[in-house]
Amino acid sequence: VKVRAGDELSLSASKNGCRAYLAVAGGFDIPEVMGSRSTNLKCSLGGFEGRRLIAGDEIPLRRPRGEIPGLSKRRYKNDDIDGMNAVVRVVLGPQDDYFDKSGIETFLKEVYTVTGDSDRMGIKFEGMPIESKSGVDIISEGIAFGGVQIPSSGKPIIMMADRQTTGGYAKIATVIGADLPKLAQIKPSGKVCFVSVCIETAQKLSVDEKNKLEKLKKRFAKLK
């Protein structure tokens, strides 16, 4: 969408996802912190003064762009986004051995409901508790994006973009990278079920996702 000084953009309610993204040609002129221009609100770090945007904030652009060939034709409909239902693929581990067969079966058969206190740090669920063999406490270790922690309540928590760096709960599985965008768009009260895949399948799906984006990039580049 081409905009001029004084134009106003307005968004209506979401139809299928729960988050919208605003991309500006040239990028926003915000100082980099640790190689990123994003904001970590919990740490008041990065972004625009380390805080949420409020009315009256003005953010300059780094490299304002002029005419972009084929701009009006750059349209892409993502049918994969469904804010209320998602089938999420996972690779079991690294601490799936903390759970017996019935606990693993519960995790893979139960339909879990996203709670209202989920955020960019983690997505919390209500549903059947997952039984462990003898507790879920482990020596604190690093947490990967998409790690599925099982706290003492037995209710899964998926670690998202603003997750803590370490944690001391067993992780029954890890969400594959190709399915993380689905989770980022799940609304409170949305339903999620988990499907186990092998590492090789996860890697193939990751390559497929990258190829899909590369094809989209090339298609846009050809537009005039």
Side-chain angles (χ1 to χ4, degrees):
V1 177
K2 184 176 181 178
V3 295
R4 296 176 174 83
D7 284 350
E8 181 176 297
L9 302 178
S10 61
L11 301 177
S12 59
S14 63
K15 294 181 179 179
N16 38 19
C18 70
R19 291 181 173 86
Y21 303 86
L22 178 64
V24 179
F28 294 109
D29 189 11
I30 299 172
E32 280 193 21
V33 176
M34 299 176 68
S36 172
R37 290 183 170 84
S38 63
T39 311
N40 188 316
L41 295 176
K42 293 182 181 295
C43 299
S44 300
L45 188 68
F48 188 81
E49 299 179 2
R51 60 171 174 78
R52 295 180 184 276
L53 297 180
I54 58 176
D57 285 343
E58 294 186 4
I59 305 175
L61 303 182
R62 285 187 290 148
R63 296 184 299 275
R65 296 278 299 277
E67 293 293 332
I68 300 177
L71 179 63
S72 62
K73 300 177 182 178
R74 292 192 178 195
R75 296 288 184 270
Y76 175 67
K77 184 177 180 180
N78 190 346
D79 295 324
D80 294 335
I81 295 179
D82 182 346
M84 295 307 297
N85 297 280
V87 176
V88 175
R89 292 162 292 191
V90 301
V91 174
L92 291 177
Q95 283 95 32
D96 54 315
D97 58 326
Y98 271 59
F99 307 90
D100 56 24
K101 182 178 180 180
S102 63
I104 299 292
E105 288 180 349
T106 297
F107 174 63
L108 296 176
K109 290 182 178 180
E110 178 75 2
V111 176
Y112 288 94
T113 303
V114 178
T115 68
D117 58 347
S118 299
D119 55 23
R120 281 174 52 88
M121 184 174 180
I123 298 178
K124 299 179 179 180
F125 295 92
E126 284 294 340
M128 182 73 69
I130 297 169
E131 293 290 335
S132 64
K133 291 179 180 178
S134 56
V136 292
D137 291 333
I138 63 172
I139 297 175
S140 290
E141 64 177 20
I143 297 179
F145 194 177
V148 186
Q149 280 191 335
I150 307 298
S152 55
S153 67
K155 311 289 182 64
I157 302 175
I158 299 180
M159 301 291 100
M160 297 300 285
D162 285 351
R163 66 196 179 281
Q164 66 272 32
T165 54
T166 63
Y169 289 128
K171 293 173 287 297
I172 194 171
T174 305
V175 177
I176 68 171
D179 282 358
L180 287 171
K182 294 181 185 179
L183 287 171
Q185 292 289 357
I186 286 289
K187 300 178 181 180
S189 76
K191 307 296 183 181
V192 173
C193 60
F194 299 100
V195 175
S196 174
V197 299
C198 64
I199 291 177
E200 289 76 15
T201 297
Q203 291 171 333
K204 180 183 182 301
L205 291 168
S206 178
V207 171
D208 291 345
E209 186 75 8
K210 290 179 181 179
N211 290 339
K212 179 181 176 182
L213 293 174
E214 190 61 30
K215 288 180 181 178
L216 181 65
K217 180 180 177 180
K218 290 179 179 179
R219 178 163 70 85
F220 282 172
K222 293 179 181 179
L223 296 176
K224 295 181 180 180

